[in-house]
């Protein structure tokens, strides 16, 4: 079992949280499921990159806490460019 603060746990948590919020949207939900599959296959860095692309492509709003989790995962993986190249932070909304 991985630590709750490991990159795969953090990335999975965000992908699953977003998937729950947008469950009624088939295409992005399917894309998020493939992100989780990558994590399950020990491809966490690729999953983080794919998750950033899914957020950017479908223009999915994410909560500040989710973004912070992605940053923590990206820092551990030395993969901040996955988030900064797509300016994922622009999709952050404050949780209500």
């Amino acid at each position: 079992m991985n630590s709750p603060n490991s990159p795969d746990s953090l990335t999975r948590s965000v992908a699953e949280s977003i998937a729950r919020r947008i469950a009624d949207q088939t295409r992005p939900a399917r894309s998020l499921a493939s992100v989780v599959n990558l994590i399950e296959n020990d491809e966490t860095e690729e999953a983080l990159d794919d998750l950033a692309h899914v957020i950017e492509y479908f223009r999915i709003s994410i909560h500040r806490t989710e973004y912070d989790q992605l940053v923590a995962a990206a820092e551990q993986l030395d993969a901040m460019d996955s988030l900064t190249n797509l300016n994922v932070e622009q999709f952050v909304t404050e949780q209500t």
Side-chain angles (χ1 to χ4, degrees):
M1 187 73 179
N2 291 324
S3 155
N5 295 318
S6 68
D8 51 335
S9 293
L10 291 167
T11 306
R12 175 192 291 269
S13 173
V14 173
E16 290 175 344
S17 176
I18 293 169
R20 281 190 296 277
R21 279 201 314 277
I22 64 161
D24 61 330
Q25 301 175 41
T26 305
R27 286 184 58 220
R30 232 179 319 176
S31 297
L32 291 166
S34 72
V35 168
V36 172
N37 286 337
L38 285 170
I39 295 165
E40 290 172 353
N41 290 309
D42 293 324
E43 300 285 343
T44 304
E45 190 169 342
E46 186 176 338
L48 178 68
D49 192 58
D50 281 7
L51 180 54
H53 279 90
V54 169
I55 291 167
E56 189 267 340
Y57 181 82
F58 292 106
R59 307 192 68 69
I60 298 170
S61 295
I62 61 172
H63 298 153
R64 171 59 61 188
T65 54
E66 293 168 337
Y67 180 74
D68 292 345
Q69 289 177 304
L70 292 179
V71 168
E75 287 174 343
Q76 291 180 57
L77 294 168
D78 195 24
M80 275 302 294
D81 57 333
S82 291
L83 302 178
T84 56
N85 287 350
L86 297 173
N87 191 19
V88 172
E89 190 169 18
Q90 71 180 311
F91 301 103
V92 172
T93 59
E94 296 311 314
Q95 192 170 348
T96 57

